């Protein structure tokens, strides 16, 4: 809850210079594996088993945010964003899904077309659910969690709205007395006026 209050205060902070809205979409992976989904696939008329893990680190991530420039030099900024991360698998042995809403505040230092950022990510209502063969349906509602975000962003073409980024989120989810690693690495594309 404290992170939510901080994010709201930053977003309503008087504009020191100016800002822009942005949109991000990306892929993330990592964290504790909670289920393994299997299916048979056919390659050249040969059936081969395949499988994929569903991890707490997420899969698809989207976010919309506002980046506020600090000062007239365009060297510093603070961004706030509302995002959503989810993963869903459906296979021969059942199905599983994970989703979470995120709130983030990130300070960035700009170096020409490069940006280095550090901030906090607040995950609201992380939820995991599965229905796998041989076990009863499982649903886990984790406690809200706060973690650290480190990210690098590069302006792909100078003067265009396209940015490519790498990010790392350090996060743990808790439910009762148990703790689960929900950290993840990700790549993303950001579209912003700046």
């Amino acid at each position: 809850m404290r992170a939510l209050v901080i994010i709201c205060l930053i977003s309503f902070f008087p504009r020191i210079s100016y800002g822009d809205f942005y949109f991000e979409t990306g892929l993330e992976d990592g964290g504790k594996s909670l289920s393994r989904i299997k299916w048979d696939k056919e390659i050249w008329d040969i059936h081969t088993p395949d499988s994929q893990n569903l991890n707490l680190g997420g899969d698809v991530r989207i976010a919309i945010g506002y980046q506020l420039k600090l000062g007239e030099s365009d060297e510093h900024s603070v961004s706030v964003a509302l995002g959503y991360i989810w993963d869903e698998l459906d296979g021969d042995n059942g199905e599983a899904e994970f989703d979470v809403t995120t709130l983030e505040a990130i300070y960035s230092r700009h170096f020409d077309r490069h940006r280095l950022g550090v901030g906090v990510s607040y995950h609201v209502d992380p939820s995991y659910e599965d229905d796998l063969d041989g076990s009863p349906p499982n649903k886990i509602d984790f406690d809200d969690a706060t973690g650290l975000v480190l990210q690098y962003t590069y302006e792909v073409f100078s003067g265009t709205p396209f940015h490519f980024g790498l990010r790392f989120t350090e996060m743990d989810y808790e439910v009762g007395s148990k703790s689960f690693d929900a950290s993840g690495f990700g790549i993303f594309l950001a579209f912003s006026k700046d």
Side-chain angles (χ1 to χ4, degrees):
M1 190 61 175
R2 285 181 295 185
L4 177 60
V5 172
I6 291 170
I7 290 172
C8 288
L9 287 176
I10 291 173
S11 65
F12 292 112
F13 190 78
R15 289 168 44 163
I16 297 173
S17 179
Y18 59 92
D20 293 302
F21 284 97
Y22 66 90
F23 173 77
E24 289 180 0
T25 181
L27 297 173
E28 300 199 356
D29 194 21
K32 171 77 174 166
S33 175
L34 293 184
S35 59
R36 188 171 190 82
I37 303 297
K38 301 176 182 177
W39 57 88
D40 287 333
K41 64 181 183 177
E42 191 171 299
I43 301 176
W44 296 306
D45 296 327
I46 301 172
H47 287 283
T48 59
D50 200 359
S51 63
Q52 186 174 350
N53 292 335
L54 190 141
N55 301 332
L56 287 180
D59 187 26
V60 178
R61 175 181 170 271
I62 59 171
I64 186 167
Y66 188 79
Q67 180 173 291
L68 178 68
K69 299 292 183 65
L70 303 178
E72 298 299 327
S73 66
D74 290 345
E75 293 181 356
H76 308 271
S77 66
V78 172
S79 60
V80 292
L82 174 65
Y84 185 67
I85 300 173
W86 78 94
D87 193 1
E88 184 175 350
L89 297 174
D90 192 356
D92 296 336
N93 66 324
E95 57 189 25
E97 62 182 80
F98 164 78
D99 71 323
V100 63
T101 301
T102 64
L103 297 169
E104 294 184 345
I106 298 176
Y107 163 78
S108 294
R109 176 74 163 89
H110 302 232
F111 305 91
D112 192 27
R113 291 162 62 178
H114 307 270
R115 293 183 200 162
L116 296 176
V118 61
V120 295
S121 184
Y122 184 63
H123 287 201
V124 182
D125 295 328
S127 177
Y128 167 82
E129 194 170 355
D130 68 28
D131 188 2
L132 302 174
D133 295 345
S135 62
N138 187 25
K139 181 165 174 38
I140 304 173
D141 292 319
F142 298 97
D143 298 333
D144 294 352
T146 304
L148 173 71
V149 176
L150 302 173
Q151 72 178 29
Y152 164 76
T153 309
Y154 178 72
E155 185 179 357
V156 179
F157 302 106
S158 182
T160 66
F162 303 104
H163 299 77
F164 172 78
L166 303 171
R167 56 184 277 135
F168 170 71
T169 305
E170 172 65 36
M171 181 78 65
D172 287 315
Y173 289 161
E174 294 182 357
V175 57
S177 61
K178 295 183 178 179
S179 180
F180 298 85
D181 180 22
S183 301
F185 289 95
I187 60 173
F188 64 91
L189 289 175
F191 306 90
S192 67
K193 186 177 176 181
D194 169 38

